[in-house]
């Protein structure tokens, strides 16, 4: 079963929350306890050292003369909230400042030479609750006269620790709540749109290319959704183009085949008399040639799609190529009373391209211009040069192309005359081949057209210079 990304994030959030709590409750509490305890010991030891320093500078005579230290003992005891005792070498308490409980007269079990500088416990049964005891030798002139003992209850340390842990827990709760809000925000901004995008992708994979992801954000998710929607639109358009392609191919093959079949059957069953068969055989031949041209065009485009266009570029005079192509249309132009107006910037204009492919481009463009030009009109062919480029223009004064159809003329089998009345001889593949060839040369071809005025095609070729 596929796991959802939101569940992974949710369980990761829960696991992180539990680990964070355990770190605070166990590890953090232990470290904090050790830190506060060591800090309390250091603080108490500092107090003992202050008393020792005062003893060395203020008292004279025996250790029993400690009245000058009473005020300091009271001040340190009050500040540190602890009991401070001063004992002699026989463990008798000489003076004290007590805030927890009164000091005993002596401590017989206490051994200051045991090696440890502090003790934790009830201090030989003298306290009802655990305390930390820190002691320092009271010495002067390299002679020990007694010891200073400081006692602080563990409750003080526990309360300090609990206060800090309370802040830590409150911080943990705040971070947990903030993380939950961030997780919800992440779900709203990332997971939920991603689920919509996944749903859309599944619909596209199932063939429903009209499905919309409905993600309207302006971030990467919105961009991804828009990209998928654009892709589905293009795929849907390609699907429609394929259907139209098949329909056009079927139409263009069915019409001549139907004519061929009808005329042959009519000749075989005697409907067409023998003396008229020559006329209809010519029609059959024309329809056969049309099928041949259509098949050749399809093979040409298929070769372009499969292997790309292999160019055999060379240096040639584009003027000479155009003149020869115009000569092949002389008879058709005479029948339709169309004249050519050929303008060149120089006697010779050399380009570097595949001459055979460019001849095919020019033939298709001029053939279209003748087909769609009105009788008694003119076709202008103009060559200009600019910035190492040669621009070839083929302009007719025919029916023109509607603005909404200009972007479609490069589609295969597209014909501007949807009724196919004026362009029955065309295959609808000529301009597709033209564009493929020009793009293979890394050049551009553009079209400008005004209905009722005419159409102009302009394409570019690189200039060829003699080194």
């Amino acid at each position: 079963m596929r796991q959802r990304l939101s569940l992974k994030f949710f369980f990761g959030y829960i696991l992180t929350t539990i680990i964070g709590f355990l770190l605070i409750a166990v590890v953090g509490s232990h470290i904090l306890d050790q830190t506060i305890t060591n800090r309390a010991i250091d603080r108490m030891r500092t107090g003992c050292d202050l008393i020792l320093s005062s003893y060395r500078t203020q008292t004279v005579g025996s250790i029993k003369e400690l009245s000058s230290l009473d005020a300091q003992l009271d001040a340190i005891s009050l500040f540190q909230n602890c009991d401070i005792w001063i004992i002699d070498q026989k463990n008798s308490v000489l003076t004290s400042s007590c805030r927890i409980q009164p000091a005993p007269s002596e401590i017989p079990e206490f051994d200051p030479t045991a090696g440890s500088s502090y003790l934790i416990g009830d201090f030989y049964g003298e306290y009802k609750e655990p305390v930390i005891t820190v002691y320092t030798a009271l010495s002067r002139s390299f002679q020990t006269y007694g010891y200073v003992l400081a006692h602080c209850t563990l409750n003080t340390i526990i309360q300090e620790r609990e206060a800090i842990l309370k802040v830590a827990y409150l911080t943990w709760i705040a971070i947990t709540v903030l993380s939950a809000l961030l997780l919800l925000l992440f779900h709203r901004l990332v997971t939920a749109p991603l689920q919509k995008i996944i749903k859309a992708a599944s619909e596209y994979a199932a063939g429903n290319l009209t499905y919309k992801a409905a993600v309207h954000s302006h971030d990467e998710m919105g961009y991804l959704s828009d990209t998928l929607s654009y892709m589905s639109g293009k795929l849907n358009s390609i699907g429609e183009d394929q259907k139209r392609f098949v329909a056009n191919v079927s139409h263009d093959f069915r019409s001549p085949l139907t004519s061929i079949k009808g005329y042959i059957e009519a000749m075989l069953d005697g409907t067409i008399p023998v003396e008229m068969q020559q006329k209809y055989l010519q029609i059959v031949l024309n329809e056969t040639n049309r099928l041949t041209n259509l098949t050749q065009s399809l093979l040409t485009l298929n070769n372009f799609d499969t292997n790309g266009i292999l160019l055999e570029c060379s240096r040639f005079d584009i003027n000479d190529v155009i003149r020869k192509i115009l000569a092949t249309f002389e008879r058709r132009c005479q029948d339709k009373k169309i004249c050519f107006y050929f303008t060149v910037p120089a006697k010779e204009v050399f380009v570097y391209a595949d001459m055979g492919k460019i001849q095919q481009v020019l033939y298709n463009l001029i053939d279209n211009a003748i087909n769609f030009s009105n009788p008694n009109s003119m076709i202008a062919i103009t060559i200009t040069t600019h910035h190492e480029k040669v621009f070839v223009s083929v302009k007719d004064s025919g029916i023109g192309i509607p603005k909404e159809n200009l972007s479609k003329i490069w589609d295969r089998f597209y014909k501007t005359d949807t009724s196919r009345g004026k362009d029955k001889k065309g295959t609808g593949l000529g301009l597709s081949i033209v564009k493929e060839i020009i793009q293979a040369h890394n050049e551009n071809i553009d079209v400008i057209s005004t209905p009722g005025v005419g159409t102009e095609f302009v394409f570019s070729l690189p200039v060829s210079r003699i080194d």
Side-chain angles (χ1 to χ4, degrees):
M1 181 178 178
R2 185 178 62 185
Q3 293 183 344
R4 296 177 59 182
L5 184 63
S6 56
L7 289 178
K8 292 181 179 180
F9 277 106
F10 176 74
F11 287 123
Y13 165 76
I14 296 297
L15 181 62
T16 303
T17 302
I18 294 174
I19 291 175
F21 176 79
L22 293 177
L23 286 175
I24 295 175
V26 180
V27 180
S29 178
H30 176 73
I31 294 175
L32 190 61
D33 194 30
Q34 291 293 327
T35 301
I36 295 175
T37 300
N38 292 335
R39 190 170 63 183
I41 291 172
D42 292 339
R43 186 172 62 245
M44 294 163 62
R45 184 173 286 115
T46 300
C48 293
D49 290 340
L50 288 174
I51 295 173
L52 175 60
S53 178
S54 299
Y55 170 74
R56 289 175 177 174
T57 58
Q58 296 179 13
T59 61
V60 293
S62 68
I63 192 176
K64 296 181 179 180
E65 301 174 1
L66 298 172
S67 57
S68 60
L69 300 179
D70 289 344
Q72 188 175 24
L73 261 64
D74 291 338
I76 295 175
S77 176
L78 177 63
F79 178 75
Q80 296 188 353
N81 193 26
C82 63
D83 292 345
I84 298 179
W85 304 345
I86 296 180
I87 64 174
D88 59 16
Q89 289 183 316
K90 296 180 180 180
N91 293 345
S92 298
V93 178
L94 301 179
T95 184
S96 65
S97 177
C98 299
R99 296 187 58 82
I100 303 174
Q101 68 181 39
S105 58
E106 61 178 359
I107 315 157
E109 295 90 355
F110 178 57
D111 181 11
T113 62
S116 177
S117 60
Y118 69 92
L119 301 173
I120 298 178
D122 59 1
F123 196 67
Y124 305 104
E126 296 296 335
Y127 286 91
K128 298 178 181 180
E129 57 182 341
V131 295
I132 297 176
T133 301
V134 175
Y135 53 92
T136 301
L138 199 62
S139 61
R140 185 169 54 189
S141 301
F142 302 103
Q143 184 176 356
T144 300
Y145 294 95
Y147 297 90
V148 180
L149 284 72
H151 308 280
C152 182
T153 63
L154 286 178
N155 284 336
T156 303
I157 297 174
I158 292 173
Q159 289 175 0
E160 185 177 355
R161 182 193 66 189
E162 293 300 326
I164 297 175
L165 284 177
K166 182 178 180 180
V167 175
Y169 284 128
L170 290 176
T171 304
W172 171 79
I173 292 173
I175 293 175
T176 301
V177 173
L178 181 60
S179 299
L181 294 176
L182 290 175
L183 187 62
L184 290 174
L185 184 63
F186 178 82
H187 174 77
R188 180 180 178 84
L189 297 180
V190 178
T191 308
L194 188 60
Q195 290 173 350
K196 293 181 180 179
I197 292 173
I198 293 173
K199 172 65 176 176
S202 300
E203 291 291 333
Y204 300 153
N208 183 12
L209 297 177
T210 60
Y211 184 85
K212 299 298 181 182
V215 178
H216 305 293
S217 60
H218 299 286
D219 53 13
E220 287 81 357
M221 288 298 172
Y223 178 77
L224 179 59
S225 175
D226 293 340
T227 303
L228 280 177
S229 297
Y230 177 78
M231 180 193 70
S232 67
K234 295 297 289 185
L235 290 175
N236 189 46
S237 176
I238 291 173
E240 295 298 326
D241 290 343
Q242 288 178 340
K243 293 178 182 178
R244 186 167 60 250
F245 179 85
V246 172
N248 289 333
V249 170
S250 300
H251 181 279
D252 283 349
F253 272 91
R254 187 189 304 116
S255 296
L257 287 174
T258 301
S259 297
I260 293 172
K261 179 182 177 183
Y263 289 133
I264 291 178
E265 288 178 346
M267 285 186 284
L268 289 176
D269 62 19
T271 303
I272 298 176
V274 176
E275 61 273 12
M276 297 184 64
Q277 287 183 2
Q278 182 67 28
K279 173 184 175 182
Y280 291 101
L281 284 174
Q282 185 61 45
I283 296 175
V284 169
L285 179 61
N286 291 337
E287 292 297 297
T288 304
N289 290 333
R290 181 182 170 192
L291 285 175
T292 301
N293 293 335
L294 178 60
T295 303
Q296 184 60 42
S297 296
L298 286 172
L299 291 175
T300 300
L301 282 174
N302 182 68
N303 185 59
F304 290 171
D305 291 340
T306 305
N307 304 316
I309 302 178
L310 299 178
L311 300 178
E312 297 180 0
C313 295
S314 61
R315 182 175 182 269
F316 61 92
D317 181 13
I318 189 69
N319 293 352
D320 183 59
V321 171
I322 294 176
R323 290 190 186 97
K324 291 179 180 178
I325 292 175
L326 293 179
T328 64
F329 290 103
E330 182 177 349
R331 180 62 181 272
R332 286 179 58 190
C333 290
Q334 289 177 352
D335 293 340
K336 205 171 181 180
K337 297 181 179 180
I338 294 175
C339 63
F340 290 111
Y341 186 75
F342 186 29
T343 305
V344 296
K347 184 178 180 180
E348 294 179 331
V349 178
F350 287 93
V351 297
Y352 185 77
D354 187 319
M355 186 171 68
K357 297 293 191 300
I358 298 304
Q359 285 176 331
Q360 189 174 5
V361 168
L362 290 166
Y363 187 92
N364 286 340
L365 292 179
I366 296 172
D367 182 60
N368 276 350
I370 295 173
N371 288 336
F372 293 100
S373 289
N374 297 317
N376 299 306
S377 62
M378 179 186 68
I379 297 175
I381 301 174
T382 306
I383 296 178
T384 57
T385 58
H386 186 65
H387 291 305
E388 302 299 320
K389 293 288 184 181
V390 172
F391 295 91
V392 181
S393 167
V394 179
K395 182 178 181 180
D396 63 51
S397 49
I399 61 175
I401 304 171
K403 183 177 179 180
E404 63 272 13
N405 294 338
L406 281 177
S407 61
K408 302 176 183 178
I409 62 173
W410 311 108
D411 296 343
R412 298 178 183 184
F413 284 100
Y414 180 78
K415 296 186 179 183
T416 57
D417 181 16
T418 55
S419 67
R420 299 175 183 267
K422 293 185 180 181
D423 191 22
K424 290 182 178 179
K425 294 182 180 180
T427 63
L429 297 174
L431 290 179
S432 297
I433 295 174
V434 165
K435 189 170 184 179
E436 294 279 354
I437 293 174
I438 296 300
Q439 288 182 339
H441 285 80
N442 293 320
E443 298 295 336
N444 298 311
I445 181 168
D446 297 311
V447 58
I448 304 171
S449 184
T450 303
V453 176
T455 303
E456 179 182 13
F457 288 90
V458 181
F459 65 90
S460 61
L461 292 174
V463 171
S464 178
R465 300 290 186 186
I466 300 177
D467 297 334

